Structures are given as structure tokens and as C-alpha cells.
Amino acid sequence: MATTAQLTLASGDIAGDPVNVTKQATLTKDKSVNDLDQSTGLSRVHLRSATNKVLLTANAEGNDLASKVYIINKSEDSSLYVTITINAQTIGKLYGGDFLFIPWSQTDTSAAIEVAATSWTSSTGDIPIEYVQFHEDTDFLTNA
């Protein structure tokens, strides 16, 4: 069964013109038409600190296999954001309800995706984050 991702962007008034774009992609292995068939499973953490916390680490082999990462800020408060970093480089902020879906090259074996509840205070409560990595793995080949 294929693993797919679909994104729809719709706005009636952005830049003065309506926008309506829908794209779908099948997640495939590196240099292949075979589907990605491994995942970390959907995980949830509750952030209570502006200190970076590791969500995902690169594979130990440092190979450049196919990998996609999904992270969502499940907070219902749009003012509560988290900062996403890869190898100490900030790649962006996710406000309540925002998500990201990115490819992740894991050639650096010390690479990590981290998240920090930058807007957190003791009065805001937890900021729930869900994440999953879809990937291929040479140790667990299930599709030639």
C-alpha cells in the first residue's frame, strides 16, 4: 500500500488573486519507485520548556536514504509557538495548528531535529507536539 502526502493551499484573496493548489506525492525510496515502508510511528510530546529537546536523530550509518518528517504543533492557541532546529540551525516556527512536512537527508550521523517551546511560560500550560518520520532503512528491507 502506497504512503502518500497531500497538501491543499486555498485562499480567496492572497496577493489580490484567488489561489487554489492541491498536490499529492507518493513517498518513495531513494532512486526507486518503491514505496517508503518504514516509520517511527506517530509520537506525541508535551513541551514545558524553551530548551531544545531532540525529536529525531539521524541514522547511524550516515547514508542518504529517503526520509520525510512531519511535525505539528497541536496547541489550539495560535500565539503559542515552537522553534524547529536541525543541527542548531533554526528552520522556522510552528504556531498553534501549524505543521511542517520536509525531506530530511541524514548524511550527518550527528544530525538531530530539535524543538523548543519558545513561547512557553509557566502560565501557558503544555504545548503538545506530534511527529513522525517516514523512511527507508537498509537494516529492515521489506521491499526490494
Side-chain angles (χ1 to χ4, degrees):
M1 181 172 183
T3 302
T4 61
Q6 181 171 314
L7 177 67
T8 300
L9 299 173
S11 174
D13 60 0
I14 195 167
D17 293 315
V19 174
N20 192 1
V21 178
T22 299
K23 293 294 178 183
Q24 180 171 328
T26 299
L27 309 184
T28 58
K29 294 180 178 183
D30 186 43
K31 300 177 185 84
S32 172
V33 295
N34 295 322
D35 298 329
L36 283 181
D37 54 8
Q38 303 289 316
S39 86
T40 59
L42 185 66
S43 297
R44 179 180 271 230
V45 295
H46 294 267
L47 300 175
R48 301 178 186 103
S49 169
T51 304
N52 278 357
K53 305 292 183 195
V54 174
L55 289 185
L56 296 164
T57 57
N59 64 51
E61 294 85 26
N63 47 29
D64 192 16
L65 299 176
S67 173
K68 308 288 190 256
V69 173
Y70 169 77
I71 303 172
I72 183 169
N73 179 345
K74 297 293 283 187
S75 175
E76 295 179 6
D77 183 340
S78 62
S79 70
L80 295 179
Y81 64 90
V82 297
T83 302
I84 307 296
T85 60
I86 299 178
N87 287 1
Q89 296 292 314
T90 299
I91 62 168
K93 295 177 183 176
L94 297 179
Y95 291 85
D98 284 351
F99 70 93
L100 67 74
F101 184 76
I102 59 171
W104 184 27
S105 175
Q106 300 178 68
T107 55
D108 179 354
T109 57
S110 64
I113 296 178
E114 298 179 334
V115 62
T118 315
S119 64
W120 181 87
T121 67
S122 58
S123 64
T124 61
D126 299 349
I127 300 178
I129 302 297
E130 289 182 348
Y131 63 99
V132 64
Q133 178 184 11
F134 301 96
H135 61 95
E136 63 180 306
D137 188 332
T138 56
D139 293 334
F140 299 102
L141 294 176
T142 58
N143 229 358

